[in-house]
Amino acid sequence: MTTATPTFPDTIFDTRESHVRSYSRAWPAVFDTAEGSWITDRDGNRYLDFFAGAGALNYGHNNPILREALVDYLTSGRITHSLDMSTVAKGELLETFQDVILRPRGFDYKVQFPGPTGTNTVEAALKLARKVTGRESIINFTNAFHGMTLGSLSVTGNSMKRAGAGIPLVHATPMPFDNYFGGVVEDFQWFERVLDDSGSGLNRPAAVIVETVQGEGGVNVARPEWLRALADLCTRREILLIVDDVQMGCGRTGPFFSFEVAGIEPDIVTLSKSIGGYGMPLALTLFKPKLDVWGAGEHNGTFRGNNPAFVTAKVALDHYWSDDALERSTLAKGERIAARFQALVAEFPTQISTRGRGLVQGLAFTEPDLAGRVCSAAYSDGLLAETSGPEDEVVKLLPPLTITEAEIDLGLDILEAATRKAVAR
Ligand SMILES: Cc1ncc(COP(=O)(O)O)c(C=O)c1O
């Protein structure tokens, strides 16, 4: 790997890039090369990456299998940009998605290509639900995160992000996510009650949008039985169920779709982040065929046809999802992290708790500031991990699914040392 010689002053990011930048504040290194679970800055310092592009790099940085397919494609004069024209690369992806992902699971979803980001697929899902039902309101959950455009923000919990909208965010009603009341209150009692009560003030919703594990919200894991009860309630009341699998899909929690653990079949599913396979921008909106009521061009976007991403997406599906090896190894690696986290909790039972599923694992701190301190100490020792949760009180681990056990152990050694240092202060 070659490292480029910088031709810019060190100050360029401060002087020219907007204040809106955020990760570069926590990790001020100037990154240049990356491979697998490692990312290297321009001075040659290596960092173990337990962040993986916020879940966009499930198959690691510069995965050689995907890179080879991408380079072959790019150097053979094939089409790069195609809006929603039919192309060979798109046809091959659709066929593979059908044969490798949908059919083995018994799912029949139509596939929409919205713009290539997570928030684009969420917007498409919300619009479609409203068009199908003729209703406008959406039920979302406490601490949900669905993206930064106005529709997605309206179903997002975080008050700082919501405030950035600058206009009222309407037509969404938050309900408590699983375990919001510490398991004390029966979760759906209130939801069912207000749906039934014509005096409750709740407009009949078009859809419920839910993450099975809230990544940005603090690694809050919904129990399979809670998800099943939610799906059942939606079916009984003819409300569409949207599972936002932008962060937890593509194997993050073990199975390809994070909701497989609950045995449910949502009406609409959103995918982005790792579906492109190589950190390539791509998003899909999946829905049951009877919901495909779109008129031609009724929802569009210039970058729907990112053909290089179709190529890496197809190869990733073929290579990693033709059998259950990746799912099994993700679950085993998740247990490896969870066991080490549980030992840490035993050491500091009043300061820390842990939660997660597969390779999304969180360490939650009673004193919120500690999570940030742990992440900055870990960064100094060569590990990238970010905080999440309403008060940034959770250290969230999202390593590539392709990480080795030795790399997991090394990263956990750094994290444990950082935790002991932070808690002992
Ligand atoms: C569950 C979920 N939905 C939607 C989004 C938005 O994705 P994007 O940032 O690509 O717009 C995210 C991003 O983190 C996410 O975690």
Side-chain angles (χ1 to χ4, degrees), residues 258-278:
S258 70
F259 52 83
E260 288 178 60
V261 69
I264 59 172
E265 192 174 343
D267 299 294
I268 306 179
V269 181
T270 58
L271 289 175
S272 184
K273 293 201 188 259
S274 278
I275 189 65
Y278 194 73

Side-chain angles (χ1 to χ4, degrees), residues 384-400:
L384 302 188
E386 72 163 339
T387 59
S388 75
E391 295 184 75
D392 283 324
E393 74 281 17
V394 179
V395 175
K396 177 174 83 163
L397 303 193
L398 283 184

Side-chain angles (χ1 to χ4, degrees), residues 210-222:
V210 67
E211 299 153 272
T212 63
V213 178
Q214 295 181 321
E216 303 305 299
V219 194
N220 305 317
V221 182

Side-chain angles (χ1 to χ4, degrees), residues 27 370-380 383 385-387 395-396 418:
W27 304 324
L370 289 184
R373 272 198 249 148
V374 168
C375 288
S376 34
Y379 170 69
S380 305
L383 178 79
E386 72 163 339
T387 59
V395 175
K396 177 174 83 163

Side-chain angles (χ1 to χ4, degrees), residues 117-120 122 145-147 211 216 244 246-247 272-273:
T117 68
T119 201
N120 292 149
V122 170
F145 183 82
H146 297 290
E211 299 153 272
E216 303 305 299
D244 181 352
V246 163
Q247 189 165 143
S272 184
K273 293 201 188 259

